[in-house]
């Protein structure tokens, strides 16, 4: 499968038109149509539904689009690493992670790194643990910041000297906002938005214990900002981590921790037996230095 042909396919998917894609690629429509037909024949699957007004992707086409984007992204990453080789420390550093204030320690390491090596560019990707691990496994990011509980047997990692606190994000005029902490019985039949983080799937049942009535799950979210807008509109409360939605004067939202206290650790993970490019290798050294100043973290292999 040629990268050039994948680039053509992505252009068609993006433009939803072979004619417009051909114009964007500075080529004519007939050869682009032949390339798309050849790609379908190579894979033995229909990728495009050619309508009178637009081109849409089949299910197989959507799968290819996702993987093609990852392949081309990895190709660009590889090209940048090769071009950055030599005595000069330059290039791209890719870091993915979930929403956590533990990111502050990573940010400190990044700032120090760029002060020493100003030609290093940093790219941040936000996502939950499954998204981060997938990108780690595919080589699209160098490091992933993940919130416990997660299975790190496949990875080397550093445990950060920071623990996230779980609780509820709710409107200030909600009756539970009058409490200092949220207890198990408060969640009975409570309309709730929950994070897709593994803790929520595997851990909330244990925290609830043997209660006969559980929260009423309205839905799930990946990143808290959009979920906070639903909370603001009164749709329900959001189970989340502390400090992710700022509480400023006049804010209609507030956070209340759980009681008994429920916390999760945070780790920075990377693939085992990794042969790092220079930006990633120097970042890891800087991160270890920063963590050493805050505590005495241990590297697990």
């Amino acid at each position: 499968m040629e990268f050039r042909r994948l680039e053509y396919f992505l252009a068609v998917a993006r433009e939803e038109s072979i004619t417009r894609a051909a114009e964007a690629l500075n080529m004519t429509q007939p050869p682009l149509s032949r390339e798309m037909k050849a790609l379908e024949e190579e894979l033995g699957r229909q990728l495009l539904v050619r309508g009178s007004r637009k081109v849409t992707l089949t299910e197989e086409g959507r799968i290819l689009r996702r993987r093609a984007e990852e392949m081309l992204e990895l190709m660009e990453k590889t090209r940048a690493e090769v071009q950055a080789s030599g005595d000069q420390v330059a290039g791209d550093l890719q870091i993915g992670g979930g929403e956590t204030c533990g990111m502050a320690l990573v940010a400190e390491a990044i700032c120090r790194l760029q002060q020493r090596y100003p030609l290093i560019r940093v790219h941040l990707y936000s996502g939950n643990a499954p998204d981060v691990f997938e990108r780690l496994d595919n080589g699209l990011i160098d490091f992933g910041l993940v919130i416990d509980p997660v299975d790190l047997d496949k990875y080397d990692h550093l445990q950060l000297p920071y623990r996230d606190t779980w609780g509820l994000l709710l409107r200030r005029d909600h009756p539970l906002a009058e409490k200092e902490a949220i207890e198990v019985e408060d969640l009975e039949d409570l309309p709730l938005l929950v994070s897709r983080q593994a803790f929520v799937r595997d851990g909330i049942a244990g925290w609830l214990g043997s209660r006969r009535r559980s929260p009423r799950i309205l839905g799930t979210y990946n990143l808290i900002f959009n979920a906070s807008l639903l909370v603001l509109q009164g749709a329900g409360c959001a189970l989340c981590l502390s400090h992710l939605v700022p509480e400023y004067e006049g804010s209609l939202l507030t956070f209340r921790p759980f009681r008994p206290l429920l916390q999760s650790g945070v780790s920075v993970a990377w693939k085992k037996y990794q042969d790092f490019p220079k930006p990633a290798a120097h970042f890891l050294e800087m991160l270890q230095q920063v963590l050493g100043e805050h505590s005495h973290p241990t590297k697990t292999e």
Side-chain angles (χ1 to χ4, degrees):
M1 193 183 306
E2 299 179 10
F3 280 108
R4 171 182 55 83
R5 189 167 285 167
L6 289 178
E7 289 176 331
Y8 291 168
F9 169 75
L10 289 177
V12 173
R14 183 173 57 251
E15 298 294 337
E16 298 184 336
S17 163
I18 292 179
T19 300
R20 290 197 299 271
E23 293 174 354
L25 293 167
N26 294 316
M27 62 188 298
T28 57
Q29 184 268 337
L32 181 57
S33 293
R34 289 194 294 270
E35 289 286 351
M36 294 301 95
K37 183 175 178 57
L39 181 60
E40 290 179 320
E41 291 175 351
E42 179 183 359
L43 295 175
R45 292 289 187 273
Q46 182 181 358
L47 303 172
L48 305 171
V49 178
R50 298 160 176 82
S52 58
R53 293 181 176 272
K54 63 184 292 189
V55 171
T56 58
L57 299 181
T58 63
E59 181 180 355
E60 293 81 3
R62 290 192 294 272
I63 293 172
L64 179 61
R65 178 178 187 172
R66 179 184 176 191
R67 294 306 182 190
E69 289 171 342
E70 291 179 349
M71 292 166 66
L72 293 174
E73 184 179 347
L74 181 58
M75 183 180 70
E76 290 302 318
K77 184 174 184 290
T78 303
R79 179 184 291 119
E81 290 175 1
V82 171
Q83 293 174 343
S85 63
D87 295 333
Q88 192 175 50
V89 179
D92 297 305
L93 173 66
Q94 309 276 352
I95 300 175
E99 291 180 301
T100 166
C101 290
M103 185 64 186
L105 294 169
V106 174
E108 182 178 346
I110 290 172
C111 290
R112 292 192 193 182
L113 180 73
Q114 291 188 313
Q115 288 173 1
R116 183 174 299 179
Y117 304 110
L119 296 180
I120 290 179
R121 297 178 299 275
V122 178
H123 307 279
L124 301 178
Y125 167 83
S126 295
N128 58 20
D131 300 330
V132 170
F133 284 139
E134 181 178 4
R135 295 181 76 84
L136 266 180
D137 293 341
N138 292 336
L140 299 175
I141 58 175
D142 302 301
F143 299 94
L145 189 70
V146 291
I147 303 166
D148 293 339
V150 286
D151 183 1
L152 293 171
D153 289 345
K154 291 171 49 181
Y155 307 93
D156 290 338
H157 67 279
L158 285 167
Q159 183 79 39
L160 301 189
Y162 177 83
R163 294 185 66 78
D164 274 312
T165 298
W166 290 91
L168 284 187
L169 181 71
L170 60 163
R171 286 179 57 100
R172 286 190 181 275
D173 57 5
H174 193 285
L176 290 179
E178 299 178 2
K179 303 188 64 172
E180 293 183 357
I182 304 300
E183 300 175 271
V184 172
E185 54 267 23
D186 296 324
L187 297 187
E188 291 184 356
D189 291 330
L190 184 70
L192 200 61
L193 295 159
V194 298
S195 167
R196 297 206 319 258
Q197 169 65 21
F199 161 81
V200 178
R201 294 196 310 271
D202 305 331
I204 191 171
W207 187 79
L208 286 171
S210 59
R211 304 298 298 188
R212 298 178 64 183
R213 298 169 69 184
S214 296
R216 179 158 56 91
I217 305 301
L218 294 178
T220 64
Y221 67 87
N222 186 16
L223 302 176
I224 188 59
F225 177 75
N226 287 338
S228 73
L229 298 181
L230 288 174
V231 175
L232 191 61
Q233 291 299 317
C237 304
L239 191 155
C240 66
L241 300 173
S242 61
H243 306 305
L244 295 183
V245 177
E247 293 189 43
Y248 52 87
E249 184 177 358
S251 171
L252 296 179
L253 297 176
T254 188
F255 176 88
R256 293 293 182 269
F258 288 144
R259 186 166 57 206
L261 192 65
L262 194 58
Q263 294 185 316
S264 293
V266 183
S267 299
V268 174
W270 62 95
K271 291 173 67 175
K272 285 188 174 183
Y273 318 115
Q274 182 81 276
D275 185 14
F276 280 129
K278 287 182 179 179
H282 285 295
F283 167 77
L284 182 56
E285 293 174 1
M286 191 65 71
L287 179 62
Q288 290 170 321
Q289 177 182 324
V290 168
L291 298 186
E293 295 172 4
H294 287 270
S295 68
H296 299 286
T298 56
K299 173 175 171 282
T300 303
E301 302 188 27

